Amino acid sequence: MPELPEVQTIVDDLQAAGVMRRGIMRARVFWPNTIANVTVKQFCRQVAGRKILSLSRRGKYIVFRLSGSLSLVVHLRMTGRFQLMPSDAELCCHVQIMLLLDDKRVLAFHDTRKFGRMYLVSDPLDLLAHLGPEPLDNTFTAGHLARMLTAHRRQIKPLLMDQSFIAGLGNIYVDEALWDARIHPLRRSDMLNDEEVRALYRAIRRVLRSGLKYKGTSLGEGQGNFQSPVLEHGNNAQYLKVYQRTGEPCNRCQARIIKLIVGQRSTHICPSCQVLK
DNA sequence: AAGAATGTTACATG
DNA sequence: ACATGTAACATTCT
């Protein structure tokens, strides 16, 4: 569910809520499969007594750097979220992991579909090495994107969704970026002209910045929907131009938005603005 | 009640 | 080797 702006919002919220410098008294695991690379027993033993030194994001991963050269790396997948609550609060049945902090608060990992994963690693770079560049980094330029695109001959949408190509984009923001750049999702990556590549570069950064500005995209009130650790929804949904707007008029040309399937994912386009050449 | 859902990955096929 | 398709993970919402 969460893409770069949602994950960054979660990291920012946890920092603002004062999670850094807090100690972890103990951990409880309710869904063992959430722990990806060690046993539940190892996880609980390793995490207890450590202090949270820093929090950061890489792609759609959250990295908790802990004391003693250990990092807790979390991927929320479709429905993962963090909740901060008093230690005497009742835990929802979808809470899969619970971290008891030394200030009488609980950092709960809530995940209805149970696809989320946590890793304990000594060096996060090992786990994150497969990721492509950060799209909002200063070092990521349009020229850089152009070279990356011509190195493949793939459909542009699945390529942008590929985390080893570029990190942090998912189904919503890719659809939005392609609409913004007027590019059909099935266009071959190496066939875009310079103008289209520059438009795509600007569009990717624009839609991500919009998501960040409005603290993420929440599409409804359901269990799987995006919610930040302080239990707030993001406000970016109102600025979406195509995602989940099937049948509604295009903001540029009034043509009706249509839905198609690309790379097994639902895809929303304006059939008039985004033509397959 | 069938189908879809903000993600990733292993495996199969062309 | 590379591009693409399928299934799996598990649950809720429409």
Side-chain angles (χ1 to χ4, degrees):
Chain A
M1 143 188 152
E3 307 179 32
L4 186 154
E6 290 75 33
V7 177
Q8 186 64 53
T9 298
I10 289 168
V11 168
D12 293 345
D13 262 28
L14 288 173
Q15 283 177 338
V19 159
M20 263 150 71
R21 313 309 299 176
R22 296 266 58 97
I24 300 171
M25 310 276 283
R26 69 191 197 98
R28 294 190 68 183
V29 176
F30 304 108
W31 185 255
N33 283 353
T34 304
I35 311 299
N37 68 333
V38 294
T39 67
V40 170
K41 191 173 276 185
Q42 287 169 328
F43 179 84
C44 293
R45 205 174 284 164
Q46 287 286 301
V47 150
R50 309 246 181 193
K51 186 179 275 194
I52 299 171
L53 299 181
S54 67
L55 263 171
S56 57
R57 178 196 61 75
R58 171 78 171 98
K60 300 176 190 172
Y61 291 83
I62 300 171
V63 180
F64 293 80
R65 200 165 61 82
L66 306 179
S67 53
S69 301
L70 189 68
S71 290
L72 172 64
V73 184
V74 182
H75 196 297
L76 306 166
R77 293 283 181 96
M78 297 285 267
T79 57
R81 62 169 74 152
F82 280 105
Q83 298 177 334
L84 267 173
M85 51 185 60
S87 57
D88 55 3
E90 187 144 347
L91 290 182
C92 169
C93 65
H94 298 303
V95 170
Q96 317 301 355
I97 307 275
M98 188 199 97
L99 300 177
L100 180 62
L101 304 182
D102 61 3
D103 61 358
K104 301 254 171 83
R105 286 189 298 176
V106 163
L107 180 57
F109 179 65
H110 180 289
D111 187 15
T112 50
R113 284 172 71 179
K114 300 172 173 171
F115 291 171
R117 291 293 179 263
M118 289 193 182
Y119 306 81
L120 272 186
V121 294
S122 52
D123 185 0
L125 294 183
D126 296 340
L127 194 62
L128 306 175
H130 69 285
L131 293 174
E134 284 290 326
L136 293 179
D137 243 39
N138 294 331
T139 55
F140 179 68
T141 65
H144 193 179
L145 177 63
R147 264 175 273 120
M148 290 162 58
L149 290 169
T150 52
H152 299 271
R153 285 176 286 181
R154 289 174 60 184
Q155 299 167 343
I156 187 65
K157 169 160 176 173
L159 184 58
L160 294 174
M161 300 267 291
D162 185 336
Q163 301 301 298
S164 67
F165 181 77
I166 186 169
L169 292 172
N171 212 25
I172 296 178
Y173 293 98
V174 166
D175 277 7
E176 293 300 312
L178 289 174
W179 176 86
D180 189 310
R182 304 175 191 241
I183 295 170
H184 191 284
L186 289 174
R187 290 283 303 284
R188 254 178 51 171
S189 60
D190 59 332
M191 299 297 278
L192 302 181
N193 64 39
D194 287 353
E195 194 181 339
E196 289 172 322
V197 171
R198 279 198 303 275
L200 179 59
Y201 173 80
R202 285 193 293 262
I204 288 169
R205 295 174 50 114
R206 186 178 303 135
V207 299
L208 291 176
R209 288 211 182 93
S210 173
L212 286 170
K213 180 176 176 184
Y214 298 106
K215 297 184 177 294
T217 300
S218 298
L219 296 168
E221 302 296 316
Q223 285 288 336
N225 209 358
F226 172 66
Q227 202 179 49
S228 76
V230 290
L231 309 182
E232 281 174 349
H233 291 274
N235 297 312
N236 194 55
Q238 61 191 113
Y239 303 100
L240 299 181
K241 305 297 196 301
V242 284
Y243 193 83
Q244 271 199 1
R245 291 193 67 237
T246 308
E248 293 178 45
C250 169
N251 278 223
R252 271 192 306 245
C253 74
Q254 312 305 313
R256 301 286 170 173
I257 303 302
I258 61 168
K259 182 159 107 170
L260 51 154
I261 301 295
V262 175
Q264 292 79 243
R265 303 302 302 276
S266 70
T267 299
H268 310 75
I269 67 167
C270 169
S272 155
C273 294
Q274 296 166 271
V275 290
L276 188 51
K277 303 177 197 173

